[in-house]
Amino acid sequence: MDTRQFGSTGYDVTEIGLGTWNVGPSWGDVTDEQAKESIRTALDDGVNFLDTAEVYGDGRAERLIGEVLDERDPDRRIYVATKAAPDEDEGHSEEGLRASVEGSLDRLGVDSLDLVQLHCPETEAFYDPENFRVLEDLREEGKIEHAGVSVEKVEEASKAIEYDVVETVQIIFNPLRQRPAERFFERASNEDVGIIVRVPLASGLLADAFEGIDDFGEGDHRRTAAEGGVEAGVGRKGGETFAGVPFEDGLRAVDDLRPFVPEDATMAQFTLRWILDHDAVSTVIPGSTTPEHVGENDDAAALAPLSHQTHGAVRDIYEEHVADYVHHRW
């Protein structure tokens, strides 16, 4: 699998990585072995970038990644990015950040973390230099190698990269969430900031994985959002479930996208290829606990770039069905 330069970190990361949000309970029950097998599949496919967070399964995802990496050749470089959860007030205290880092070090079984990201705190946190001073201190102490942020809004991404310690930004970007390409990518590229694309498949909408609410089990955050509306989903004002798009509108957009999917590709692969056609993107992190889906996602990196006509059609579908819901909000 091809790699891309990861901002100023000095890392070269695979175009497709693996996200591990799915290990958390909001996606339904997943056994340890199922989760570990998805990680093994990604690594066997050549993936060298894993993204996790302390809140994914209350530390479970980090622990399982550590266990899988203990099985592997120690000479093969695998990069693990994790995220420090905000405090109860949605900010980041020094005490909270340090506790998060120590917990992640223990669960992953390492002496220093490759990349620590602030995990979607409230917007005000990005305007507090103290948060970023703590990250600088942690780096100088050798607890972390690099620092970044995971954001909900383009505004937050733009503010975060004003701090020299921030080398990467994790942001939602896909055919149903296009504002980052318009308002952030060029600046990030010019300033040598690595971009991790999260929620690339819009919680399965862009995997063409379901037809209606009955396809979701009880306890699945997607069922909650489909039944209760956008703000019932996960993330600030529901901005993460279905990438913040109302479920029925998302289904209509997928219907219109379907004719543009190449014959040799799935909707998920088409979506991942569309994302990778944006040169500012360093890596994209679809998540799955099904090895077959992990392998399918990894194969997307081998697809040929999409045509300008197809990109134009995707933009038209976005503007028709979903831009009014997401473009100026996020």
Side-chain angles (χ1 to χ4, degrees):
M1 189 184 298
D2 288 341
T3 60
R4 297 187 180 188
Q5 183 177 332
F6 194 31
S8 59
T9 65
Y11 300 160
D12 289 320
V13 296
T14 46
E15 292 181 327
I16 306 288
L18 180 70
T20 57
W21 181 17
N22 306 62
V23 174
S26 59
W27 295 85
D29 293 332
V30 177
T31 68
D32 282 5
E33 189 55 31
Q34 286 174 319
K36 289 166 74 170
E37 193 57 32
S38 70
I39 299 167
R40 294 185 187 110
T41 299
L43 297 178
D44 289 344
D45 285 347
V47 166
N48 76 352
F49 185 82
L50 306 175
D51 181 82
T52 188
E54 66 169 317
V55 299
Y56 293 169
D58 194 22
R60 181 181 176 216
E62 290 180 322
R63 175 177 59 81
L64 296 177
I65 287 172
E67 291 175 5
V68 171
L69 292 183
D70 280 344
E71 306 168 357
R72 317 298 286 197
D73 180 357
D75 293 330
R76 182 187 169 199
R77 189 68 166 94
I78 305 297
Y79 302 103
V80 180
T82 192
K83 297 184 283 293
D87 300 333
E88 290 185 4
D89 64 0
E90 297 302 318
H92 278 287
S93 65
E94 178 167 3
E95 180 182 8
L97 271 174
R98 288 187 173 277
S100 292
V101 166
E102 291 296 337
S104 295
L105 286 167
D106 180 64
R107 289 184 291 271
L108 287 166
V110 295
D111 296 323
S112 183
L113 300 172
D114 295 329
L115 174 65
V116 167
Q117 305 154 94
L118 303 186
H119 197 172
C120 298
E122 287 287 351
T123 301
E124 289 76 11
F126 296 91
Y127 290 83
D128 184 354
E130 180 66 11
N131 294 322
F132 300 92
R133 192 274 303 169
V134 175
L135 292 174
E136 290 176 344
D137 289 348
L138 288 165
R139 186 178 63 183
E140 290 175 4
E141 294 163 15
K143 299 287 187 181
I144 68 176
E145 298 299 320
H146 301 280
V149 294
S150 182
V151 303
E152 298 278 10
K153 298 180 178 182
V154 170
E155 171 197 348
E156 296 163 351
S158 296
K159 183 61 183 177
I161 65 174
E162 293 182 10
Y163 301 96
D164 291 342
V165 72
V166 173
E167 297 181 82
T168 68
V169 169
Q170 185 170 151
I171 194 165
I172 297 175
F173 177 62
N174 58 51
L176 305 183
R177 189 81 166 259
Q178 297 190 28
R179 183 178 173 85
E182 178 183 299
R183 296 290 180 177
F184 180 64
F185 282 2
E186 183 175 1
R187 181 182 173 196
S189 181
N190 289 340
E191 299 190 24
D192 203 14
V193 172
I195 292 177
I196 306 165
V197 170
R198 67 189 184 98
V199 196
L201 302 180
S203 309
L205 261 178
L206 289 168
D208 207 1
F210 32 72
E211 297 178 354
I213 292 174
D214 291 340
D215 291 331
F216 306 119
E218 295 296 332
D220 189 317
H221 69 101
R222 296 172 295 183
R223 186 182 188 98
T224 303
E227 291 178 334
V230 169
E231 296 200 6
V234 170
R236 206 177 310 155
K237 296 183 179 179
E240 299 196 14
T241 306
F242 307 132
V245 175
F247 182 57
E248 295 296 333
D249 294 274
L251 289 177
R252 284 189 282 272
V254 170
D255 282 342
D256 285 358
L257 287 170
R258 204 172 286 121
F260 297 97
V261 177
E263 291 185 2
D264 59 345
T266 65
M267 178 70 77
Q269 291 171 330
F270 166 80
T271 297
L272 296 172
R273 181 66 259 173
W274 181 90
I275 294 169
L276 291 173
D277 283 350
H278 295 78
D279 292 339
V281 172
S282 305
T283 186
V284 55
I285 51 168
S288 178
T289 52
T290 304
E292 292 77 12
H293 290 164
V294 172
E296 176 186 301
N297 292 338
D298 295 341
D299 288 342
L303 293 177
L306 303 173
S307 68
H308 291 299
Q309 292 86 349
T310 296
H311 277 275
V314 172
R315 180 68 186 192
D316 290 343
I317 292 166
Y318 170 74
E319 291 179 347
E320 179 180 354
H321 291 289
V322 303
D324 287 347
Y325 297 109
V326 300
H327 196 75
H328 295 292
R329 171 174 276 195
W330 305 109

